Amino acid sequence: MSKKQALTEFHRGSILAAAERLFAEKGIEKTTMDDIARVAEYSKATLYVYFQSKEEIVNAILLSGMVLLKKKIHEALESNHEWLQAYDAVCRTIVRFYDDNPTAYDAATGAIPLAQAGETVQKSVSDILRVSSEIDAELADFLVRGAEAGLVHTQVPPIEMVLLFWAALAGMVRTADSREAYIRERTGLSREDFLHHGARMLLHSITRADQ
């Protein structure tokens, strides 16, 4: 990488880091380009040198997060050869990813509609959707291996099961966050234990009763 490219990547990274903090604090809709420029300590004109719109910034964050999530899920699957241990590792990886990258997690679970205004943004949206599909495909292959080992029900197509898994786990993570105090009061469970039990409940719904 040349010195100029390295400097460009540094400035882009600084802007994206500031934007991600703001998105987590204020939400994407309420965050403006002025806000991002101020927190990143750049002029608004300089901001537009690196990103043409807020949508482009959002999609750059999402793509980076999705690539990281794909890597983490792959590592969880590759480092746990026993199927049930791999399942637990994937669930822990996804929850940890949400804690560290809430904006990208929302994209992975379909909570953020991807903007498609302009050629550059369309390319980034295409990349995000491609990586998302690759993640789903790897998880579907994982379920197929479970079915071949006699662990997983086969009535539901693997990709449909993956989408149902994302929907259920995403709902549990958001419930654990928004009702953490209530859950602790009513059940005595920590957020971590609640999510572990929830992941186990999902596991029981897709595995054979005799496992």
Side-chain angles (χ1 to χ4, degrees):
M1 181 184 293
S2 69
K3 183 183 247 185
K4 181 178 180 181
Q5 288 173 321
L7 187 60
T8 296
E9 287 305 308
F10 171 79
H11 289 310
R12 283 176 60 88
S14 298
I15 292 166
L16 293 176
E20 194 157 17
R21 289 198 303 272
L22 284 165
F23 293 158
E25 293 169 6
K26 300 177 60 174
I28 292 173
E29 291 299 321
K30 292 183 179 179
T31 299
T32 66
M33 290 292 273
D34 286 324
D35 293 331
I36 296 169
R38 175 175 43 79
V39 172
E41 298 183 344
Y42 289 91
S43 70
K44 194 172 179 181
T46 301
L47 193 68
Y48 278 106
V49 170
Y50 298 100
F51 296 99
Q52 296 178 6
S53 65
K54 184 175 75 172
E55 287 74 20
E56 191 175 339
I57 292 175
V58 170
N59 288 331
I61 291 171
L62 300 188
L63 179 59
S64 175
M66 295 294 286
V67 170
L68 177 62
L69 178 59
K70 178 187 173 183
K71 178 176 180 286
K72 295 294 186 182
I73 288 176
H74 181 75
E75 289 173 350
L77 292 174
E78 289 296 306
S79 60
N80 293 274
H81 299 293
E82 202 274 321
W83 195 91
L84 294 174
Q85 289 179 352
Y87 172 87
D88 284 338
V90 167
C91 291
R92 288 194 302 270
T93 294
I94 292 171
V95 171
R96 194 176 305 122
F97 180 80
Y98 169 81
D99 292 339
D100 295 338
N101 308 272
T103 302
Y105 180 89
D106 283 343
T109 56
I112 295 177
L114 300 177
Q116 300 191 45
E119 184 177 347
T120 303
V121 175
Q122 287 180 351
K123 172 64 167 59
S124 64
V125 168
S126 175
D127 288 339
I128 292 167
L129 295 176
R130 173 182 52 78
V131 175
S132 179
S133 295
E134 290 169 354
I135 293 171
D136 289 345
E138 184 161 23
L139 291 176
D141 287 343
F142 173 61
L143 291 174
V144 169
R145 294 201 301 274
E148 290 172 347
L151 297 171
V152 177
H153 291 295
T154 58
Q155 291 92 334
V156 178
I159 193 64
E160 182 179 341
M161 196 177 292
V162 167
L163 295 176
L164 289 169
F165 166 80
W166 275 119
L169 189 59
M172 284 190 291
V173 168
R174 292 191 179 92
T175 297
D177 271 12
S178 64
R179 309 190 72 186
E180 184 175 1
Y182 178 81
I183 289 167
R184 187 181 292 275
E185 178 186 344
R186 298 293 295 174
T187 68
L189 295 175
S190 66
R191 175 181 183 273
E192 181 180 13
D193 287 338
F194 175 78
L195 289 172
H196 176 70
H197 291 176
R200 280 282 154 175
M201 183 181 70
L202 288 179
L203 177 65
H204 292 318
S205 73
I206 65 172
T207 53
R208 297 186 182 279
D210 57 352
Q211 296 302 322

